[in-house]
Amino acid sequence: MSQNKNALIRYKTIDKCLQNKYRTWTLEDLIEACSEALFEYEGRENSISKRTIQMDIQLMRSEKLGYNAPIVVYDKKYYKYEDDEFSITDIPLTETDMNVLTETVSMLKQFKDFSLFNDVSDILQRLEDKIYAEKSHTKPVIYLDKNDNLKGLHYLDEIYQAIIKKVTLVITYKSFKSIEESKFHFHPFILKEFNNRWFLIGKRKGSAPVSNLALDRIISIDYDFNLPYLEEDFDAESFYKNIIGVTVNSGLQPRRIELWVNPENAPYVLTKPLHQSQRLIQENEDKSVIVHLFISPNYEMERLLLGFGDGIEILRPENLRNRMKKILQKALNRYDE
């Protein structure tokens, strides 16, 4: 890993530590936290000197990196942010930054009617909101869900580069069901986000089915430049057309799933369809509705439907109705116990 990337990981780790106001942080604590972060990233031990972390803190305090972090020492050994709300990930934009962003947004908006730019309209809206908030010294009005504590996000750029450069990965992985970690070659096709989690989609070898790996279960990533990358015309739109989420059960054909939705949840389901195949079949006098989906059942679909509790009833197919009934009955039995 480059020294610059090492340093960025240390800065981000120190920042995360000092944001935690519920414990004290000595220099030794920060060294240990940075060592663990680099180990998680590289999968091997990294020796970090006391001098390195001291220099990191000095750089974070300075204008050189643009952080101007208000790091102070109290009781002659504990480090903290003097401003409890400070974070290097939320530094104000400079005047130059804002001018560049304003020009960039204006330029991109000229292409708003061009089909290739349809997917970036919301990004432009967020950028405009950020620029306005900085210039007017007001709070942003657009907030998005994010999970800063999600593991594996630091692999995103590495995997992205491997995909576009068509490089075979060597991945050390440990699923939730596995007792031990495993190491294998993987040919990456795409990155997919679902429900605030990221997944790597690809194949272990040519004869293997397409599979997904959760980034938060990846232990380490390496490259094998000697093993040719598996060139395959993978069509993500077609592959995920008939499912919710990321789990595609090979050999399982999509089927018609009919749902009754109670009056309270009907407006939500109608205005935000559960799947692109959703169709309204019947509106009842009590404002409940019947809809159908044409999808392949999977784990993510079950979790989504169970999340509605008594707001949704599966009418057909019978086997799926019975399966969900058993799951709900088990849940009810736990409360009875």
Side-chain angles (χ1 to χ4, degrees):
M1 188 195 298
S2 68
Q3 290 304 308
N4 284 342
K5 188 172 283 188
N6 263 330
L8 286 172
I9 291 171
R10 295 197 306 271
Y11 302 151
K12 191 172 180 181
T13 303
I14 294 171
D15 177 63
K16 190 175 178 182
C17 290
L18 299 187
Q19 284 183 70
N20 183 354
K21 303 182 287 289
Y22 299 101
R23 64 161 289 182
T24 54
W25 296 96
T26 64
L27 198 59
E28 289 70 26
D29 293 331
L30 296 175
I31 292 171
E32 183 180 352
C34 289
S35 298
E36 288 177 357
L38 287 170
F39 177 77
E40 182 183 334
Y41 193 94
E42 291 188 307
R44 59 187 178 85
E45 296 289 344
N46 283 275
S47 177
I48 301 176
S49 69
K50 186 175 180 180
R51 178 65 177 160
T52 297
I53 300 301
Q54 287 174 326
M55 288 296 294
D56 287 344
I57 291 172
Q58 284 300 105
L59 280 170
M60 290 172 70
R61 283 170 171 159
S62 73
E63 295 182 359
K64 188 173 181 180
L65 299 175
Y67 294 156
N68 296 106
I71 301 174
V72 295
V73 182
Y74 65 101
D75 292 343
K76 296 185 179 180
K77 65 174 180 176
Y78 299 116
Y79 290 79
K80 71 172 184 176
Y81 280 142
E82 194 170 28
D83 177 0
D84 287 346
E85 302 302 317
F86 181 85
S87 171
I88 64 171
T89 60
D90 193 29
I91 344 175
L93 294 169
T94 65
E95 190 68 31
T96 304
D97 293 335
M98 287 190 283
N99 290 337
V100 171
L101 281 172
T102 302
E103 291 176 14
T104 303
V105 169
S106 299
M107 180 195 68
L108 288 174
K109 286 183 75 175
Q110 297 177 49
F111 300 97
K112 63 179 172 36
D113 296 323
F114 185 40
S115 61
L116 290 177
F117 282 79
N118 287 342
D119 293 337
V120 301
S121 59
D122 62 325
I123 299 174
L124 295 180
Q125 189 66 61
R126 278 178 270 154
L127 273 174
E128 282 192 297
D129 181 51
K130 177 68 173 174
I131 294 166
Y132 176 78
E134 290 290 345
K135 283 184 173 180
S136 59
H137 303 290
T138 59
K139 292 182 179 180
V141 297
I142 297 177
Y143 283 86
L144 300 172
D145 281 343
K146 63 177 182 176
N147 187 351
D148 292 330
N149 295 320
L150 186 64
K151 291 184 177 180
L153 293 183
H154 55 278
Y155 292 126
L156 276 174
D157 186 56
E158 276 190 274
I159 294 172
Y160 174 80
Q161 295 298 331
I163 292 171
I164 61 176
K165 292 172 183 174
K166 299 183 177 181
V167 177
T168 304
L169 296 173
V170 180
I171 293 180
T172 304
Y173 191 79
K174 187 177 185 298
S175 71
F176 287 120
K177 296 180 180 178
S178 301
I179 298 175
E180 296 181 350
E181 60 188 44
S182 57
K183 192 173 185 178
F184 49 83
H185 285 92
F186 200 79
H187 303 269
F189 295 161
I190 64 164
L191 282 159
K192 182 173 171 61
E193 186 268 344
F194 176 72
N195 199 25
N196 252 342
R197 291 183 75 201
W198 283 91
F199 299 86
L200 171 59
I201 316 300
K203 280 188 173 184
R204 296 199 185 196
K205 55 185 179 181
S207 59
V210 174
S211 59
N212 67 74
L213 304 176
L215 263 62
D216 55 14
R217 305 311 301 159
I218 294 177
I219 307 299
S220 66
I221 287 178
D222 204 346
Y223 310 97
D224 189 340
F225 298 103
N226 296 317
L227 182 65
Y229 177 80
L230 180 62
E231 293 279 359
E232 188 162 312
D233 186 18
F234 178 71
D235 186 345
E237 291 287 339
S238 174
F239 189 74
Y240 289 108
K241 179 182 178 182
N242 297 315
I243 70 152
I244 291 172
V246 295
T247 306
V248 178
N249 298 313
S250 57
L252 189 62
Q253 295 300 312
R255 61 181 72 177
R256 178 183 168 122
I257 296 173
E258 200 166 296
L259 310 170
W260 172 85
V261 187
N262 70 0
E264 291 76 21
N265 285 285
Y268 298 100
V269 172
L270 292 177
T271 54
K272 187 186 177 186
L274 303 173
H275 185 260
Q276 61 185 5
S277 66
Q278 179 179 302
R279 298 292 181 270
L280 174 63
I281 303 302
Q282 182 178 316
E283 291 185 85
N284 302 314
E285 289 185 7
D286 65 352
K287 304 298 183 183
S288 65
V289 297
I290 295 176
V291 300
H292 84 236
L293 313 174
F294 189 69
I295 55 174
S296 298
N298 63 3
Y299 174 72
E300 291 93 330
M301 182 213 71
E302 289 184 2
R303 283 187 63 121
L304 175 64
L305 297 183
L306 287 168
F308 282 89
D310 65 347
I312 277 184
E313 178 187 351
I314 296 174
L315 302 178
R316 56 178 62 89
E318 195 67 26
N319 61 343
L320 180 60
R321 177 182 171 87
N322 290 335
R323 171 172 169 76
M324 299 294 271
K325 183 178 178 180
K326 286 179 181 177
I327 293 173
L328 291 168
Q329 189 62 58
K330 283 183 179 179
L332 182 60
N333 290 341
R334 289 194 183 279
Y335 283 95
D336 288 341
E337 289 172 3

